[in-house]
Amino acid sequence: MIAVYLIGFLEGAGAHFLDLIGGGIHVYASFAPVPLQVFFVSLAVLDPLVVVLVGLVRPVGVRLACAVMGLDVIANWITNWPRLEENPASLLRPVGLLPITLFGLFVVASSVPLLRAVEARPERLGRMTR
């Protein structure tokens, strides 16, 4: 599960870095309101932060992953809704809303069992009993 988180968030970070390199800080201005633009730009920092924290097997990393993906899915649905109303088949594209939504659902659905596993790690138990 951790590997899937790492791959997904690394891909997201790469996509946001490429967007920023190619279009600058206002790259999302053509389709997103300012608060969502700020959020999408912040993903260039939040996604790598999730990678580091999950890679270090920290509970806060799993919680942050869940929050980031929850907000990311909502923001993407908001910005893509007009296109979906015009052409519902656009949801089926292999890049864009569908994979973001599926990954978000995976992160949310797997967060509780992953959190339990991370919090029950033997070295965590050792630290708690000292």
Side-chain angles (χ1 to χ4, degrees), residues 16 20 28 35-48:
H16 290 286
L20 289 170
Y28 306 110
L36 295 182
Q37 291 177 51
V38 171
F39 173 70
F40 288 137
V41 169
S42 75
L43 289 175
V45 174
L46 292 172
D47 284 349

Side-chain angles (χ1 to χ4, degrees), residues 49-86:
L49 180 60
V50 169
V51 169
V52 169
L53 293 172
V54 170
L56 293 172
V57 196
R58 301 283 194 253
V60 70
V62 178
R63 291 184 184 96
L64 182 61
C66 206
V68 166
M69 283 314 301
L71 292 172
D72 198 8
V73 168
I74 291 167
N76 273 281
W77 273 90
I78 290 169
T79 58
N80 283 285
W81 189 253
R83 280 180 278 207
L84 281 174
E85 285 185 317
E86 288 176 19

Side-chain angles (χ1 to χ4, degrees), residues 77 80-99:
W77 273 90
N80 283 285
W81 189 253
R83 280 180 278 207
L84 281 174
E85 285 185 317
E86 288 176 19
N87 180 17
S90 66
L91 179 61
L92 301 175
R93 291 182 315 163
V95 175
L97 192 55
L98 180 61

